[in-house]
Amino acid sequence: MPDEAKPGTPPPEAPREDPRLPLTGLRVVELGHYIAAPFATRLLADLGAEVIKVEPPGGDPHRDWGARVNGHAVWFSIHGRNKLSVTLDLRTAEGKEKLRALLARADALVENLRPGAIERMGLGPEALHAMNPRLVIARVSGYGQDGPYRDKPAFGAIGEAMGGLRHLTANPGQADLPPPRCGVSISDDLAGMYAAMALVSACWGRDRSPEGKGTVIDLDLVSSVFSLMEGMLPEYGLLGRVRQPMGAALPSAAPTNTYPCADGKWLAVAGNSDPIFRRLMTRIGREDLADDPRMAGNSGRCANAAELDEAIAAWTRTLPAKEAQDALEAVEVPCSRLFDMKDCVEDPHFQARDMLLPVEDPLIGATVPHPAAPFRFQGIAPRDMVRWPGPAVGAHNEHVFESLLKQEAKP
Amino acid sequence: MPDEAKPGTPPPEAPREDPRLPLTGLRVVELGHYIAAPFATRLLADLGAEVIKVEPPGGDPHRDWGARVNGHAVWFSIHGRNKLSVTLDLRTAEGKEKLRALLARADALVENLRPGAIERMGLGPEALHAMNPRLVIARVSGYGQDGPYRDKPAFGAIGEAMGGLRHLTANPGQADLPPPRCGVSISDDLAGMYAAMALVSACWGRDRSPEGKGTVIDLDLVSSVFSLMEGMLPEYGLLGRVRQPMGAALPSAAPTNTYPCADGKWLAVAGNSDPIFRRLMTRIGREDLADDPRMAGNSGRCANAAELDEAIAAWTRTLPAKEAQDALEAVEVPCSRLFDMKDCVEDPHFQARDMLLPVEDPLIGATVPHPAAPFRFQGIAPRDMVRWPGPAVGAHNEHVFESLLKQEAKP
């Protein structure tokens, strides 16, 4: 590495800390693979935590996922960013001993191995707390650490299906095509987000209590999805109503839907408040509907939603999506085309908010555009929150094993 | 209220704290309405924080959303749980003064008014930090606190559309029906989750720094959705590829899809590993495909995914979804029907994991089933994390204004 580190390429032997980031000083060990646990730790790393990703000698298989450049998956440039990578063979006594030494010096562990796996290594919560009572242990699994399905393999699609989300992601009466995924690994993402949130909360509570004891947190994909089911559980329990998919419409507001445009693209329109409804109807030349007493108030419009949707679609079909959006925005009707990645990159908003960060990635051998962290903090530029891209497998073995492990254990 | 509070119905004048919960002792004021900010604070409240929800005298309009029992929306029983409700008319000097007094005694504020709204009240971050330098201020908005679209109204559907999710939530070539919503307010939920995570992180950093200064956090719906776009930004930036919707399939694994069953229901199947693929093909009587050299390895199967999907669907169409699931699970092929709420309630997993909690709700006048918090902590039963259901508007005015405000300000 050169002496002068360029942005995004710090020398692996001396990872940078930024004292302005909120979690600077929090040491988190990741025993994760694929998505959920590594996403949790990536968020923690963006927030400033010192995340040590423990990988088998061959690396997390996620490193091979999806499109590659220069032999490296571009997703991992993001998914592994701001982390230190060390390799350990946990089938050997030496590997387990090094992991134990690492955990003796850590604030927290995030793991998403199969339930029972760390216990079989002799590194279950009881053993870890005997060694380091401060350790916060966040465990992510498909179904949780107990219950009848505990030992079933966890797949993101199953979390979505069983948590109730996929049933809802459909057009009513959609008979020929399956309800689509929302296109990303949403159940892993949600579980990872909850793991990060619960872990930091446990650290906050620990560090203000006189005892300073760690805890064990049990996160699962199914509950993470199920937690978003709004009022549907009491609707069923008290009223016997089973929420059915509504396509792109909302169950209790109208008109709000997604409409076809002349260029084959779609426009989402939220016209469901009295003043917006009037402006929308006027713009599409349907003042008659704005004045129609049947359409007075949200409940009237909900009862006649199909008629309103047809009137709006009749207008959107005459224009390309961008023109239809411009026309409605000019009269302050909230709407948006369904952005693909090209739309995002070309939109002034993403540029102005510094959401697309150029990060030099020595593995990829190119400047890789990274999405900014989703949270921004006063006085910290989004680009300062990406300290380095996903590192090579074991890039920080020397730093961690030669220097960090020489430090005293934390407690 | 009776002297002996029943589970779920504490007397509003003496809200219970649970010292075992990680955020007990963290005081958070919510100036929120509808979904994003109130969801952030509900998660914080589940984690033990003392959340004071400030509402206009008429209450958060969310209290009127969706199905009602006894004149009260059942969703709010969940969305408002574990919170204190106070009412303030922020158009009056007295209302603003009381809010200021509250914020002088708080750790954090979560707000999702329009950008600029708290500044116009004289309660912008600068003014608040002059009074309480410790305050962590989390602001949630549609597009963020700056940028060209800052002043546009925020709607969840727009966050989904512009963040890139809705474009992906579709079947390829879906021409007649719009890409559906995933059925819940996902962009609000994600922004709320990030707000909670960033807020606790800021409190952790503040409380271990000698200065103990608060900060301002800017969260927006678009970035929250955009943060889940995996490797799609570098795929476009480096390779010019624009990710297109894949329906229920995965872009880089096969066979994994959702298949139609004899009873009109759907079964999601993840058959995409070498040993699982073989078991799946054997079970459906297609050993020929398991042995077919074209189907060797994931890349071979991806190249022939359509043929595999047709073979699996030909089998699932002959069975009701539950029977097909049982048959595949018997040979350890991960799969799940698309659960609706009735399926969730009837499944042994949800019962065994204590995910469906009976909570007495005096407003609803019934025992309301609540989903458990998505995270569980060692030694704390899920039911202990729901201390009380969403309270009546202003239920805690007396407790907060007569008792809490008599305490010294925190700093």
Side-chain angles (χ1 to χ4, degrees):
Chain A
M1 300 302 285
D3 285 326
E4 299 151 336
K6 293 178 201 154
T9 58
E13 63 272 20
R16 286 199 304 262
E17 282 199 345
D18 185 335
R20 300 170 304 164
L21 295 174
L23 295 186
T24 297
L26 188 78
R27 182 175 295 152
V28 180
V29 173
E30 174 205 307
L31 205 55
H33 56 171
Y34 292 115
I35 302 180
F39 188 54
T41 55
R42 196 217 92 191
L43 295 169
L44 297 171
D46 281 1
L47 288 161
E50 178 191 24
V51 171
I52 302 171
K53 178 176 177 69
V54 176
E55 301 182 76
D60 182 344
H62 184 274
R63 290 175 176 273
D64 291 330
W65 267 29
R68 297 184 208 200
V69 171
N70 201 27
H72 293 275
V74 296
W75 184 2
F76 189 78
S77 182
I78 300 164
H79 205 49
R81 76 186 185 194
N82 296 331
K83 298 184 189 178
L84 311 179
S85 166
V86 302
T87 48
L88 286 177
D89 184 349
L90 296 177
R91 293 165 306 182
T92 68
E94 190 204 342
K96 276 186 263 199
E97 200 39 58
K98 277 191 172 164
L99 176 58
R100 198 189 311 269
L102 216 48
L103 291 169
R105 290 158 179 80
D107 285 287
L109 165 68
V110 184
E111 66 103 355
N112 68 340
L113 307 183
R114 288 269 198 115
I118 61 172
E119 283 85 351
R120 284 190 291 277
M121 284 194 264
L123 295 166
E126 218 169 316
L128 293 176
H129 280 152
M131 173 187 75
N132 178 359
R134 298 176 66 255
L135 195 70
V136 171
I137 303 170
R139 313 186 69 170
V140 187
S141 60
Y143 303 90
Q145 301 294 322
D146 55 29
Y149 306 152
R150 161 185 201 268
D151 296 319
K152 287 203 220 180
F155 280 76
I158 309 297
E160 292 161 37
M162 208 173 144
L165 195 72
R166 284 285 296 283
H167 165 69
L168 298 171
T169 311
N171 283 293
Q174 178 173 42
D176 298 336
L177 296 169
R181 295 173 73 228
C182 70
V184 299
S185 306
I186 191 77
S187 62
D188 293 278
D189 294 337
L190 294 170
M193 290 167 74
Y194 280 132
M197 185 190 311
L199 182 153
V200 179
S201 298
C203 288
W204 186 85
R206 177 196 71 183
D207 290 351
R208 74 194 295 272
S209 78
E211 304 81 19
K213 290 247 191 269
T215 186
V216 187
I217 310 166
D218 173 4
L219 268 309
D220 68 88
L221 270 51
V222 175
S223 299
S224 297
V225 171
F226 189 64
S227 75
L228 302 190
M229 292 298 116
E230 308 187 338
M232 293 176 226
L233 175 58
E235 276 171 40
Y236 174 66
L238 297 177
L239 300 166
R241 293 186 199 156
V242 177
R243 183 82 68 89
Q244 297 303 329
M246 299 278 300
L250 281 175
S252 51
T256 173
N257 213 323
T258 298
Y259 303 93
C261 298
D263 53 358
K265 292 181 183 269
W266 297 91
L267 185 69
V269 179
N272 51 302
S273 81
D274 293 345
I276 293 174
F277 173 67
R278 175 161 291 277
R279 293 200 298 271
L280 170 59
M281 290 298 122
T282 304
R283 182 60 191 80
I284 69 170
R286 294 299 305 266
E287 290 89 345
D288 60 309
L289 287 171
D291 294 332
D292 189 329
R294 293 178 304 138
M295 307 299 176
N298 185 55
S299 57
R301 293 192 297 269
C302 282
N304 297 285
E307 185 179 341
L308 293 173
D309 281 345
E310 195 32 64
I312 298 165
W315 179 81
T316 55
R317 279 198 199 94
T318 65
L319 294 170
K322 178 79 173 69
E323 278 180 45
Q325 177 166 356
D326 290 345
L328 293 185
E329 290 195 328
V331 294
E332 295 186 42
V333 171
C335 63
S336 175
R337 289 161 290 143
L338 306 190
F339 276 45
D340 63 23
M341 194 45 70
K342 182 165 180 286
D343 295 318
C344 292
V345 169
E346 292 176 354
D347 193 90
H349 168 80
F350 288 80
Q351 294 291 344
R353 289 275 287 170
D354 222 0
M355 285 170 68
L356 317 167
L357 302 172
V359 177
E360 276 195 55
D361 187 323
L363 294 183
I364 306 273
T367 301
V368 176
H370 273 226
F375 19 63
R376 48 196 67 204
F377 293 83
Q378 187 176 37
I380 307 178
R383 59 187 59 226
D384 290 345
M385 294 182 74
V386 182
R387 291 164 289 157
W388 62 85
V393 191
H396 302 92
N397 280 346
E398 191 180 318
H399 167 73
V400 170
F401 295 132
E402 299 304 317
S403 126
L404 190 150
L405 284 193
K406 296 218 172 89
Q407 298 169 14
E408 294 253 349
K410 267 207 167 187
Chain B
M1 301 298 287
D3 286 326
E4 297 152 337
K6 294 178 202 154
T9 58
E13 63 274 19
R16 286 200 304 263
E17 282 199 347
D18 186 335
R20 298 170 306 162
L21 294 174
L23 295 186
T24 297
L26 189 77
R27 182 174 295 151
V28 180
V29 174
E30 175 204 309
L31 205 56
H33 57 172
Y34 292 114
I35 303 179
F39 188 55
T41 55
R42 197 218 91 191
L43 295 169
L44 297 171
D46 280 1
L47 288 161
E50 178 191 24
V51 171
I52 302 171
K53 178 177 176 68
V54 176
E55 301 183 78
D60 182 343
H62 183 274
R63 289 174 176 274
D64 291 329
W65 267 29
R68 298 184 208 199
V69 172
N70 200 27
H72 293 275
V74 296
W75 185 2
F76 189 78
S77 182
I78 301 164
H79 204 51
R81 77 187 183 192
N82 295 332
K83 299 184 188 179
L84 311 178
S85 167
V86 302
T87 48
L88 287 176
D89 184 348
L90 295 177
R91 292 165 308 181
T92 69
E94 190 203 342
K96 276 185 265 200
E97 200 39 58
K98 278 192 171 161
L99 176 58
R100 199 187 311 268
L102 216 48
L103 291 169
R105 290 158 179 80
D107 285 287
L109 166 68
V110 184
E111 65 101 357
N112 68 339
L113 308 182
R114 288 270 198 115
I118 60 172
E119 282 85 350
R120 284 190 292 276
M121 285 192 263
L123 294 167
E126 219 172 315
L128 293 176
H129 279 151
M131 171 187 77
N132 178 359
R134 298 177 65 257
L135 196 70
V136 171
I137 303 170
R139 313 186 69 170
V140 186
S141 59
Y143 303 90
Q145 301 293 324
D146 55 30
Y149 306 151
R150 163 187 200 269
D151 296 319
K152 286 204 219 179
F155 280 76
I158 310 297
E160 292 161 37
M162 207 171 146
L165 195 72
R166 284 285 297 281
H167 164 69
L168 298 171
T169 311
N171 283 294
Q174 180 173 40
D176 299 335
L177 295 170
R181 292 173 74 228
C182 69
V184 299
S185 305
I186 191 78
S187 62
D188 293 279
D189 294 337
L190 294 170
M193 291 167 73
Y194 280 131
M197 184 191 312
L199 182 154
V200 180
S201 298
C203 288
W204 185 85
R206 177 197 69 184
D207 291 351
R208 73 194 297 270
S209 77
E211 304 81 19
K213 291 249 191 268
T215 187
V216 187
I217 309 166
D218 173 4
L219 268 309
D220 68 88
L221 269 53
V222 175
S223 299
S224 298
V225 171
F226 189 64
S227 75
L228 303 190
M229 292 299 116
E230 308 188 338
M232 294 177 224
L233 175 58
E235 275 170 41
Y236 174 65
L238 297 178
L239 300 165
R241 292 186 199 157
V242 177
R243 182 82 67 89
Q244 297 302 329
M246 298 278 300
L250 281 175
S252 50
T256 172
N257 213 323
T258 297
Y259 303 93
C261 298
D263 54 357
K265 294 183 183 268
W266 296 90
L267 185 69
V269 179
N272 51 300
S273 81
D274 293 345
I276 293 174
F277 173 65
R278 174 161 294 276
R279 294 200 297 272
L280 170 59
M281 290 298 121
T282 304
R283 181 61 190 80
I284 68 172
R286 295 299 304 268
E287 290 90 344
D288 61 308
L289 287 171
D291 295 331
D292 189 330
R294 292 178 305 137
M295 306 300 177
N298 186 55
S299 56
R301 294 191 297 268
C302 282
N304 297 286
E307 185 179 341
L308 294 173
D309 282 344
E310 195 32 65
I312 298 165
W315 178 81
T316 55
R317 278 198 199 95
T318 65
L319 294 169
K322 179 79 172 67
E323 280 180 45
Q325 177 166 356
D326 290 344
L328 293 186
E329 290 196 328
V331 295
E332 295 187 41
V333 171
C335 62
S336 175
R337 289 161 291 144
L338 306 191
F339 275 45
D340 64 22
M341 193 47 68
K342 183 166 180 286
D343 295 317
C344 292
V345 168
E346 292 175 355
D347 192 273
H349 168 79
F350 288 81
Q351 295 290 345
R353 288 275 289 169
D354 222 359
M355 284 171 68
L356 316 166
L357 302 172
V359 177
E360 275 197 55
D361 187 322
L363 296 183
I364 306 275
T367 301
V368 176
H370 273 226
F375 19 63
R376 48 195 68 201
F377 293 83
Q378 187 175 37
I380 307 178
R383 60 188 58 226
D384 291 344
M385 294 183 74
V386 181
R387 290 163 289 157
W388 62 86
V393 191
H396 302 92
N397 280 345
E398 191 180 317
H399 168 73
V400 170
F401 296 132
E402 300 304 316
S403 128
L404 189 151
L405 285 193
K406 296 218 171 86
Q407 297 169 12
E408 293 256 345
K410 267 208 168 186

